[in-house]
Amino acid sequence: MRSVIQRVSRASVSIAGSVYSEIEKGLLVFLGIEDSDGLEDIIWLSNKIVNLRIFNDESGVMNISVKDIDGDVLLVSQFTLHASTRKGNRPSYITASKPEIAIPLYEKMIRQLNIDLNKKIYTGVFGADMKVELINDGPVTIIIDSKIKE
C-alpha cells in the first residue's frame, strides 16, 4: 500500500457538486492499493498513520499524533499513486489493483483505522470522480509505502 498523508486544517470530498465528507483538523490520506497488499500491510500502515507524530506540541515541535489531538482522518482511494512513468508520457497503472481486489482492502483499511483511532473514519467513494479540497497545514506531506516500510 502506498499513501500520501497530509496534515490539514480542513479537507473535504465532493461528488457531483455536493460535499460527501469533510473534516476539520486531522489527516487527509490518499491510499493506493496493489494486488500484493494484504492484512499485514493494512495493520502496519493504519498503526503508522494514527501514531505518526506530525502535529506541533506546545513548543512548536512536531511531536503529537492525530490520535493525541483527537483529530479526524479522511481516507480517499487513489489508484494513481501506483502510476509508472518509466516509458513514455502516459502513466501506466498496471500495478494498481482492480476494484474486485481493491474495494475489500480499502474497506478493511477503513475498519482498521476506525479501531486504531477509535473514531469514525471519513471517506470518499471508491471509483467516483471526486473533487478534493484541503488546507494543508504547514505544509506537511508524508509519503509512506508499506512494502518498504517507509
Side-chain angles (χ1 to χ4, degrees), residues 2-5 45 52 81 141-145 148 150:
R2 193 169 289 160
S3 64
V4 173
I5 301 161
L45 185 56
L52 199 60
L81 291 179
T141 302
I142 308 287
I143 300 169
I144 299 177
D145 191 313
I148 57 175
E150 89 173 23

Side-chain angles (χ1 to χ4, degrees), residues 16-34:
S18 296
V19 174
Y20 180 81
S21 287
E22 61 186 331
I23 64 169
E24 293 298 320
K25 189 172 187 171
L27 299 175
L28 170 61
V29 180
F30 294 104
L31 182 70
I33 299 168
E34 59 185 344

Side-chain angles (χ1 to χ4, degrees), residues 39-101:
L39 188 56
E40 181 181 316
D41 297 281
I42 290 167
I43 292 168
W44 183 86
L45 185 56
S46 177
N47 181 62
K48 185 63 83 173
I49 290 167
V50 302
N51 292 299
L52 199 60
R53 298 183 326 184
I54 58 172
F55 291 89
N56 293 347
D57 63 16
E58 62 280 347
S59 300
V61 176
M62 286 195 286
N63 199 28
I64 300 174
S65 71
V66 70
K67 193 173 191 176
D68 296 331
I69 65 158
D70 194 33
D72 290 316
V73 171
L74 174 55
L75 182 69
V76 178
S77 177
Q78 188 172 355
F79 75 93
T80 60
L81 291 179
H82 286 287
S84 174
T85 58
R86 287 192 178 134
K87 293 174 65 178
N89 292 318
R90 184 171 182 226
S92 169
Y93 304 104
I94 198 160
T95 62
S97 289
K98 302 290 185 259
E100 56 272 10
I101 293 171

